[in-house]
Amino acid sequence: MLNAVGREIPEELGMPYKGEMLQPSGRAAGHLIKAARPHEKKVLSGIKEAIIKSGLKDGMTISFHHHLREGDYLVNMVLAAIDELGIRDLKLAPSSLNNCHEPVIEYIKKGVITSIETSGLRGSLAREVSGGILKKPVIIRSHGGRPRAIESGELHIDVAFIGAPCADTYGNLNGVDGPSAFGAMGYAMVDARHADCVIAITDNLKKYPIQPISIPATLVDYVVCVDSIGNPEGIMSGATRFTRSPRELLIAELASRVIINSGVFEDGFSMQMGSGGATLAVIRYLSNAMKKRNIKASYGLGGITGPYVQLLEEGLVERFLDVQCFDLRAVESLKNDRNHIEIDASYYANPFNKGCAVNNLDVVILSALEVDTDFNVNVITGSDGTIMGASGGHSDAAYGARLTIITTPLMRGRLPIVVDRVQTVITPGSSIDVVVTERGIAVNPKNKGMEERLKDAGLPICSIEELKHRAEKITGKPDPVQFGDRIVGIVEYRDGSIIDVIRNVID
């Protein structure tokens, strides 16, 4: 069956994406009710003891969170213990997986892990999954889609493993204190509220009670202290560098001019900026315009970076709503500034609650691996068809914002980025307003008024087809990727409908 973005979705996989947000029904799911006895001890001797006490068995679901990103030690550490205990056929349901999780490949081969549900995959693990190493297709969800699935009961977590930079002896947790401080614990908060068993693993055990508390002891079953849960330097992963690339600086300048002339750049506007060289440069250009026009933003959203924090410190943004810190300066800000507010992933972007933060966004800047002439965006598979990225909050923020801007170079190497048809649709073109490249800006035809405003401002506006033509004139048209018949990935839209599938690549 063809869905609303023209992708063939086998009926047995579930509801195809219909182009309109599905409406929820029923009641929210919950966890097992438990009671702790007075003076009961929660601190255990090690991870194996905690796994045994959790009752983890073959066929269950385990979860992790990815706030330490490339510095995470927890997934590999816990899977090693599970393997030694002989537990098999588990569903791995982390908020995302990174290059550092390459050892998961061996646990798949051993049968410890037989299915994965996540926002993204990278590196060797992603290539193996793209090749069909898993028995079942990986399910890709956005950062808003994951809490929706958990809270609705679609994704039930039996045991959640939460890496805590600071924990007390009764299970209160925070992410801002200790040698592994990574900041906001937004993804883990949802897991803690809904998992049947919550195991906190820390390298910084304190006496009861700690302050501040991000996840309360009322949600935590056991606490384990280890030498280290990860390297906080890994949360940056190159995402917070200032660019010196003339191309990225030009894209950033054009994107900032789009915002300034869009009609939404006014006192009290809200924004999500993300990370990456061009985006950080947009922040710099935009801050200059905000000072010049005496404009302040009401709030900033999403993963927070040091350059973004600068706006808060200068009074250009009143508050941050933070689900994930992208560098150590952001961690310090979350710890010390009461206007830097920690939120969970459901508050951030779950479409099936009574008011997520993305719904009030005015502007969001997002990246792309590919954009097609229908403005559909791919951020999950590379030009060779293999998985290499993450859905993240892309479709969530794009849906909620009044103005969604994609910034991307027109080409990467000899590959055009604007194409006839993206390899995989993560965000539908209906959510995209403007595509900014160094060789021109395309406005979605749904926004005729926007196109006229930007033309009047002297910006280099052209059609999306013209952008594609300009790219192909230089790069030529790439040969199509040869896919097999096997579905190795299912991409859910944020409401749980299926927006695309990923098929195995034929070498």
Side-chain angles (χ1 to χ4, degrees):
M1 180 183 296
L2 283 181
N3 67 10
V5 291
R7 301 301 167 120
E8 183 68 38
I9 308 297
E11 288 186 30
E12 65 271 19
L13 295 184
M15 175 76 74
Y17 171 66
K18 292 184 175 299
E20 297 289 337
M21 187 72 68
L22 298 177
Q23 292 301 308
S25 61
R27 293 184 178 275
H31 57 75
L32 292 174
I33 298 174
K34 299 179 182 177
R37 296 190 302 275
H39 309 293
E40 189 173 84
K41 304 297 183 186
K42 291 187 180 181
V43 178
L44 303 179
S45 62
I47 293 174
K48 277 188 183 177
E49 183 186 6
I51 293 169
I52 293 168
K53 281 187 171 292
S54 75
L56 185 70
K57 297 175 183 173
D58 292 1
M60 286 186 167
T61 297
I62 57 175
S63 78
F64 298 86
H65 57 105
H66 72 288
H67 292 96
L68 277 163
R69 303 181 77 188
E70 291 295 353
D72 177 67
Y73 298 166
L74 210 63
V75 171
N76 300 336
M77 199 186 311
V78 170
L79 289 183
I82 289 173
D83 180 30
E84 289 177 19
L85 289 169
I87 300 169
R88 296 291 184 270
D89 191 25
L90 297 178
K91 178 187 293 180
L92 178 62
S95 50
S96 200
L97 290 165
N98 293 291
N99 291 287
C100 62
H101 299 126
E102 182 177 342
V104 173
I105 296 169
E106 290 306 311
Y107 299 117
I108 294 173
K109 291 178 178 175
K110 288 182 174 183
V112 177
I113 302 299
T114 52
S115 64
I116 296 177
E117 300 187 13
T118 180
S119 170
L121 297 156
R122 297 171 178 85
S124 301
L125 175 59
R127 288 191 290 276
E128 291 285 352
V129 170
S130 298
I133 191 174
L134 283 168
K135 293 180 180 177
K136 303 172 185 173
V138 61
I139 294 178
I140 302 294
R141 294 193 180 94
S142 70
H143 285 335
R146 183 174 186 270
R148 173 202 55 74
I150 293 171
E151 292 180 6
S152 69
E154 180 181 319
L155 172 59
H156 176 73
I157 299 169
D158 293 297
V159 183
F161 295 91
I162 295 179
C166 184
D168 67 34
T169 51
Y170 206 47
N172 294 302
L173 316 176
N174 77 51
V176 295
D177 292 314
S180 303
F182 53 68
M185 303 184 78
Y187 305 112
M189 289 173 170
V190 178
D191 295 24
R193 284 202 302 269
H194 292 84
D196 283 342
C197 182
V198 176
I199 298 173
I201 301 175
T202 186
D203 51 12
N204 182 35
L205 185 62
K206 298 293 185 182
K207 65 181 180 182
Y208 174 87
I210 58 168
Q211 196 278 331
I213 295 172
S214 297
I215 295 175
T218 54
L219 300 174
V220 177
D221 292 79
Y222 306 113
V223 179
V224 175
C225 191
V226 297
D227 291 339
S228 177
I229 62 169
N231 177 5
E233 295 288 336
I235 70 174
M236 295 186 283
S237 303
T240 59
R241 65 183 171 83
F242 270 118
T243 183
R244 294 182 179 177
S245 160
R247 183 172 70 169
E248 288 191 340
L249 289 172
L250 177 56
I251 293 170
E253 181 190 358
L254 292 172
S256 63
R257 288 177 62 193
V258 168
I259 296 172
I260 291 165
N261 293 285
S262 65
V264 304
F265 187 61
E266 54 189 17
D267 198 41
F269 83 111
S270 58
M271 58 183 172
Q272 178 175 323
M273 288 293 161
S275 61
T279 301
L280 299 185
V282 172
I283 293 173
R284 191 160 43 184
Y285 285 121
L286 207 59
S287 66
N288 292 334
M290 293 169 76
K291 292 173 186 173
K292 191 174 178 181
R293 300 189 185 195
N294 196 27
I295 286 176
K296 293 182 180 179
S298 56
Y299 73 94
L301 183 61
I304 305 299
T305 61
Y308 212 15
V309 166
Q310 183 83 28
L311 301 188
L312 184 68
E313 294 173 348
E314 292 179 354
L316 295 174
V317 177
E318 292 183 22
R319 291 182 180 85
F320 276 149
L321 302 179
D322 189 352
V323 71
Q324 178 182 16
C325 295
F326 277 163
D327 63 21
L328 300 182
R329 185 177 176 187
V331 176
E332 282 300 307
S333 173
L334 177 65
K335 182 178 179 179
N336 298 314
D337 193 329
R338 65 189 299 271
N339 289 317
H340 190 151
I341 302 165
E342 186 176 22
I343 61 172
D344 65 55
S346 186
Y347 188 107
Y348 168 52
N350 180 355
F352 286 1
N353 64 26
K354 296 177 183 177
C356 60
V358 296
N359 286 352
N360 287 318
L361 274 176
D362 289 310
V363 181
V364 63
I365 300 275
L366 297 167
S367 60
L369 292 172
E370 292 177 313
V371 184
D372 68 24
T373 51
D374 290 324
F375 287 83
N376 298 313
V377 179
N378 169 25
V379 289
I380 190 79
T381 48
S383 57
D384 61 356
T386 59
I387 300 170
M388 60 174 293
S391 175
H394 203 282
S395 62
D396 303 305
Y399 181 87
R402 292 167 64 196
L403 173 62
T404 298
I405 300 172
I406 301 297
T407 57
T408 178
L410 192 62
M411 300 160 289
R412 290 191 178 95
R414 296 294 297 175
L415 292 170
I417 302 305
V418 181
V419 296
D420 285 319
R421 178 183 165 92
V422 292
Q423 300 285 3
T424 310
V425 180
I426 290 292
T427 299
S430 57
S431 294
I432 306 302
D433 295 291
V434 183
V435 175
V436 177
T437 77
E438 76 280 17
R439 293 174 183 259
I441 298 170
V443 180
N444 193 320
K446 70 175 184 174
N447 292 331
K448 276 298 176 189
M450 174 79 69
E451 183 173 337
E452 294 306 315
R453 277 196 296 273
L454 299 184
K455 280 181 178 175
D456 291 344
L459 286 160
I461 304 300
C462 64
S463 69
I464 192 82
E465 289 81 9
E466 179 60 25
L467 282 183
K468 183 182 83 76
H469 175 72
R470 290 174 186 176
E472 289 180 351
K473 195 173 177 181
I474 299 169
T475 65
K477 202 163 186 170
D479 295 331
V481 178
Q482 299 300 311
F483 290 101
D485 294 330
R486 184 176 174 192
I487 293 174
V488 298
I490 299 171
V491 182
E492 287 189 0
Y493 187 54
R494 58 197 302 259
D495 63 2
S497 61
I498 300 174
I499 197 164
D500 211 341
V501 296
I502 303 169
R503 296 181 187 275
N504 65 310
V505 177
I506 299 174
D507 293 330

